[in-house]
Amino acid sequence: MATTKVGIREFRAGLADYIARVQPVAVTRHGQTVGFFIPTRTDLAAEIAALRSAAAQLDEVLALDDAEIDELVEDYKEARRG
């Protein structure tokens, strides 16, 4: 697999496209390679599920009344001490 070479300006302008690629990209400046961009694959479905879970937990916290929030804060402080 050949590495694509692109100038730094072209790389910046097309960053979204380079992120979606699988192949590494050699970034050049005045014809000299100054770095490599190596895209990584992530499990997008797992990331979305984690964000949805965090949002649901935040919704639960936002629905608490003041007394429940105070209790939650005290539980957190106690957990940090221990």
Side-chain angles (χ1 to χ4, degrees), residues 5-79:
K5 283 189 171 189
V6 296
I8 196 162
R9 286 187 181 123
E10 180 183 345
F11 179 73
R12 280 194 308 215
L15 185 58
D17 294 329
Y18 293 114
I19 288 172
R21 290 185 176 191
V22 177
Q23 313 91 329
V25 176
V27 181
T28 63
R29 182 174 183 195
H30 304 296
Q32 299 295 316
T33 300
V34 294
F36 291 91
F37 174 74
I38 302 170
T40 58
R41 288 286 177 222
T42 59
D43 184 350
L44 189 56
E47 288 183 18
I48 291 171
L51 287 171
R52 285 187 175 144
S53 174
Q57 291 174 9
L58 180 59
D59 286 342
E60 289 176 14
V61 170
L62 292 174
L64 297 175
D65 63 30
D66 289 342
E68 292 170 315
I69 290 174
D70 291 341
E71 183 180 335
L72 182 65
V73 169
E74 288 305 316
D75 289 345
Y76 175 75
K77 287 179 181 177
E78 187 63 35

